[in-house]
Amino acid sequence: SLVINGAPYVPITNAYVQGGNSFSATGVLGLNDANDLTLRTDSITRMTINANGAVTIATPTAGTALTITGGGETITAGDLTLSGGNIALTNSTSSSTGNIYKAGSRFMHNYGSNNTFLGVNAGNFSLSDSNNTAIGYIAAPALTTGTGNTAIGIASLFSTTTGSENTALGVG
């Protein structure tokens, strides 16, 4: 038997190796203490998973897409640049699907059919009709029934709950 530095040699059978592994179970890569895990290439840290679970990706220059799937995530970025391609949101079906929020308030959504709402708390999530547009802070927030309405400006169509083909331009 092989002895190294006075101890019997025991082959390592559960390490990650170049070219891949076959563990016959879920492979786990990580730390058992409260330290960050960093991934490096070319001696430069490219990604860090901190001890609290937050992930930081340093300078993504590989030119491939990053997809985050799930509910309730927050993506924090200094400047976010999209070079080619699109930002695709699902249609708004509730306050938690297909919306963009600004400082915790709804900012952009299209709840209903062919509706467009842009501005802090513009529109709502109880409108049952279609082809409405509201642009501006709290524009058309009470509208629940109606089609073809246009509200542009702060609090425009603020108290309107029902009606069709109304147009409001300016402050409330």
Side-chain angles (χ1 to χ4, degrees):
S1 73
L2 179 61
V3 175
I4 299 175
N5 293 330
Y9 170 74
V10 178
I12 298 172
T13 59
N14 60 353
Y16 283 91
V17 297
Q18 180 74 17
N21 293 79
S22 297
F23 290 137
S24 299
T26 300
V28 176
L29 172 66
L31 304 170
N32 291 323
D33 52 16
N35 289 303
D36 297 351
L37 175 66
T38 60
L39 301 177
R40 301 173 72 186
T41 60
D42 196 25
S43 298
I44 299 169
T45 297
R46 304 296 183 179
M47 184 170 80
T48 300
I49 304 171
N50 75 17
N52 294 324
V55 177
T56 301
I57 300 174
T59 309
T61 58
T64 59
L66 171 65
T67 302
I68 300 173
T69 304
E73 290 86 359
T74 300
I75 299 172
T76 303
D79 293 320
L80 182 60
T81 302
L82 180 65
S83 299
N86 300 296
I87 296 175
L89 295 175
T90 185
N91 284 324
S92 300
T93 57
S94 70
S95 62
S96 62
T97 302
N99 310 294
I100 295 176
Y101 280 78
K102 179 179 179 182
S105 297
R106 67 180 179 268
F107 182 69
M108 186 171 76
H109 66 98
N110 66 344
Y111 185 83
S113 176
N114 298 318
N115 295 311
T116 302
F117 303 108
L118 176 62
V120 173
N121 293 322
N124 61 62
F125 298 110
S126 60
L127 180 62
S128 61
D129 285 322
S130 62
N131 302 316
N132 296 287
T133 301
I135 300 173
Y137 175 67
I138 57 174
L143 187 64
T144 57
T145 305
T147 185
N149 294 292
T150 302
I152 300 175
I154 297 172
S156 54
L157 292 181
F158 182 81
S159 298
T160 303
T161 59
T162 186
S164 293
E165 300 177 5
N166 293 297
T167 299
L169 179 63
V171 177

